[in-house]
Amino acid sequence: KKKRFLNSMSFVVQVDHRESRRKIDWKRTKAFSYNSVVGFCENGILKRIGLISIRNDENHNDWLNHPEGPKIGITVNSNDEFEASLREMLHNTGVALQMERLQQAQEENEDEMQDQAKIDDVFEQMITYDLIEISQSFFSYEPILKSLQQKDAVPLVDEIV
């Protein structure tokens, strides 16, 4: 069976907006540099790796300068990870639609506390990650780390620092 490669496509990731006294100068900062390696972590565990493939600091209210938080384009490094990302986005789209319906109902309802609790419960169903920027040297170790993750026991474990 011929395997299709979808991972050449990028998807947009929006980072949570954080209140800051000073505005970030995206032209000068090295954060979220083009081709930087990023990791998606869940509860401190690295779940997915990608590369920043779209980094735009030109537009005033878009991409890195978006008022709700910076946006970057990510390309993942395997077909399986890309397909898993698509499934997660599809799941989150359904959750977001549920939240939107509940928020509309909340506007019409007088019991906002009960409605907010429902919205919070639905929000907990969202698949979310902590995004970290990984040092470029990580890629030189990635094959070794992945092979160690697949092992039941690590040889010479007492000698490894």
Side-chain angles (χ1 to χ4, degrees):
K1 183 177 174 181
K2 190 174 182 181
K3 190 168 184 169
R4 295 175 293 136
F5 288 95
L6 298 173
N7 61 341
S8 63
M9 296 177 65
S10 296
F11 55 92
V12 176
V13 173
Q14 184 163 16
V15 181
D16 288 339
H17 177 67
R18 295 189 185 229
E19 291 297 323
S20 176
R21 291 185 182 163
R22 59 189 175 120
K23 187 175 177 172
I24 297 173
D25 183 354
W26 289 107
K27 288 185 189 312
R28 297 184 75 199
T29 185
K30 293 182 180 183
F32 296 145
S33 296
Y34 181 76
N35 270 344
S36 287
V37 181
V38 292
F40 295 85
C41 295
E42 182 179 46
N43 299 322
I45 298 170
L46 185 64
K47 295 291 189 174
R48 189 164 296 124
I49 295 173
L51 290 176
I52 296 179
S53 55
I54 301 173
R55 183 194 195 276
N56 182 336
D57 58 21
E58 300 296 322
N59 301 340
H60 180 64
N61 283 322
D62 202 10
W63 289 102
L64 287 171
N65 299 309
H66 195 280
E68 294 178 13
K71 289 183 178 181
I72 53 176
I74 303 287
T75 301
V76 291
N77 64 353
S78 80
N79 193 49
D80 292 339
E81 289 182 357
F82 184 78
E83 288 176 358
S85 298
L86 288 177
R87 283 191 300 276
E88 290 170 355
M89 285 188 266
L90 182 61
H91 168 83
N92 283 351
T93 300
V95 173
L97 289 171
Q98 279 183 292
M99 288 176 57
E100 188 176 313
R101 279 187 237 123
L102 287 170
Q103 286 171 333
Q104 288 172 349
Q106 182 183 30
E107 291 171 4
E108 299 167 4
N109 193 353
E110 294 175 6
D111 191 1
E112 290 187 23
M113 296 281 280
Q114 183 180 7
D115 289 339
Q116 188 60 46
K118 288 179 186 176
I119 292 170
D120 293 343
D121 287 344
V122 171
F123 181 76
E124 290 297 319
Q125 297 172 22
M126 278 270 202
I127 300 170
T128 61
Y129 293 102
D130 294 321
L131 181 71
I132 59 167
E133 198 165 3
I134 302 172
S135 167
Q136 289 291 349
S137 64
F138 175 81
F139 259 133
S140 60
Y141 299 105
E142 182 190 15
I144 296 165
L145 295 174
K146 283 193 176 210
S147 69
L148 287 173
Q149 284 179 324
Q150 295 171 353
K151 296 210 176 280
D152 293 331
V154 178
L156 304 171
V157 71
D158 293 332
E159 285 75 21
I160 297 176
V161 175

